[in-house]
Amino acid sequence: MSNDQESLSSNPLLMRKMLLDYNESYERETLDMKTWETEMKRKDKELLASAKTKSEWSDNAEKTDEANKMVLRSKANTEKEKGNAFVKQGKWDEAIAHYSKAMEYYSEDCTYSANRALCFLKTNRFREAEKDCTTTLSLDSKYVKAFLRRGAARMKLKKLDAARADLNTVLRLEPKNSEARRYLVDLEKESASNATNNESIHSEEDLTEEVRRKRAEDEKEKGNACVKERKWTEAIAHYTNAIEKHSEDCTFFANRALCYLKISRFEDAESDCSRSLSVDSSYVKAYLRRAAARIELKKFDDAKSDLNVVLKLEPNNSEAKTYLKKLKPCKGIEVIGSEVNNDDPPRIESQNQVEPHSNTYSRGTVEIDRIKQRPAKTDNSTPLKDNTNSQTSLNSPERSTSVSKKIHPPPKNSYQFFSAWNDLKGNPKDVFLYLKQIEGSQLPIILQNSLESGPLSSIVSILATEFIDNDVSAYPYLEGLMKVPRFDIMALLMSKEDKQGIEKIVQFSLRRREITEDQAAELKRTFHL
């Protein structure tokens, strides 16, 4: 036994004191451990509560974001529907504005940019169309219409290799896509032509302003030459090319307006004169030609306003004074020009020649003809014929007092088709005989890419009236029209009257048992009835 142990055993008080000290120390440590444990549990509860709060906040935030996204998408769809409505009316700029708003609200729907690309194509804004199609494909890499429209835009931009790649992609996705095949045929023809001519392909923007202006002037001269030969449609094409190359020359628009007047496209003539005046607000000839168009459109007050502007610009302009005096009794106009010069195409005679007045006027004027007042349109918008020796009623069984125009032979191309169509315009029976000799299956070959909403409307009108009245099958022509390039776009632009005409043709074809009910339903879907 050690000395300390002996000491403790011999001193009970000392041992007791040591035991008490040890016990006190133990209790103190136990209390500290309990306090630490309590504190840890409290902190754990706080951490758990904090984590739960953050989770709930995150869930609420996600729900709020989702709700906001749904609201924005709803607004975007509303804008899209407004844009679609304007597309049907052919109001491309308005449609573009609404599709742009839709994209601002919600940028993850590929149809918004694809629809806007269509409008850009219609307004010849090919670079914007290409960009929108690329945006569409970044959202949906298999969206066929985007590849097709980008291919069309790239063809116009002379990016032939890129266009070919897009169109081949369409055929990989849809092997039977006829529109892509037609575009590829056109593309290969253009590519072969460029190779033959050994010309480099450049976009207009790569050319200097001076070169573009020179090319525009060349196109204008070609247009003037066509006017001399009374080839109005060809002249329009050349003036259009001139405008595309240089849109700041007021004479290009004014010259094209003159041609539009000659083929009775008065609304287009009015529009071109307005565009000419936006470039040069003091261009007298544009005011005179717009007045001519407005007289034909029965906008007599507007025509009077144009003629008054002429007198403000040229107070001694005898032509404008004469026209204003005769404006009330006037119901017809004739545009007179003179030889070709830098300002204007040559003298142009009216398609419906009338005896001129004893007074003759200088070039670039509008002559008011003394012809009978044209009767107003009937409720179904079919113009009534003048019961003079030169014309007869649509309901008349024969034209004993008029000479029917010689029916043109079947056309081989769109130029021949539309030239004959415009020449026969106003004689529905002659137009019927002309169209009847063309097989409906030949329409896609003849029209190619030249079909516009106006000609489509007039074709439908003849099918729905003359063909049905004469009990001649109209269905093959509808079938042919559906295969014409760009038909899907034209179908969107059909008016209410056009669709009523299609409905009549469908019912007529059903009565003749040329089509089944399923085919009739498919026709109605195709024509958006």
Side-chain angles (χ1 to χ4, degrees), residues 32 49 62 70 87 117 126 130 190 225 233 241 290 300 303 398 423-424 439 449 452 526 529:
D32 288 342
E62 289 179 3
M70 290 178 64
V87 165
F126 303 118
E130 179 189 27
E190 184 172 353
T233 305
N241 289 339
R290 190 167 69 175
F300 298 118
E398 59 181 347
D423 186 45
L424 297 172
E439 293 183 9
N449 292 305
E452 298 290 344
T526 302
L529 301 186

Side-chain angles (χ1 to χ4, degrees), residues 33-49:
M33 287 295 295
K34 288 182 177 180
T35 301
W36 177 82
E37 184 180 7
T38 302
E39 183 65 17
M40 288 302 99
K41 288 181 179 180
R42 185 185 66 80
K43 288 185 177 181
D44 285 343
K45 287 182 179 180
E46 288 180 355
L47 287 173
L48 288 172

Side-chain angles (χ1 to χ4, degrees), residues 35-77:
T35 301
W36 177 82
E37 184 180 7
T38 302
E39 183 65 17
M40 288 302 99
K41 288 181 179 180
R42 185 185 66 80
K43 288 185 177 181
D44 285 343
K45 287 182 179 180
E46 288 180 355
L47 287 173
L48 288 172
S50 176
K52 185 177 180 180
T53 301
K54 287 182 179 179
S55 176
E56 290 176 351
W57 180 86
S58 178
D59 290 343
N60 289 336
E62 289 179 3
K63 291 179 181 178
T64 301
D65 289 343
E66 189 65 28
N68 289 338
K69 187 178 289 187
M70 290 178 64
V71 170
L72 291 175
R73 185 158 192 177
S74 176
K75 290 182 178 180
N77 282 331

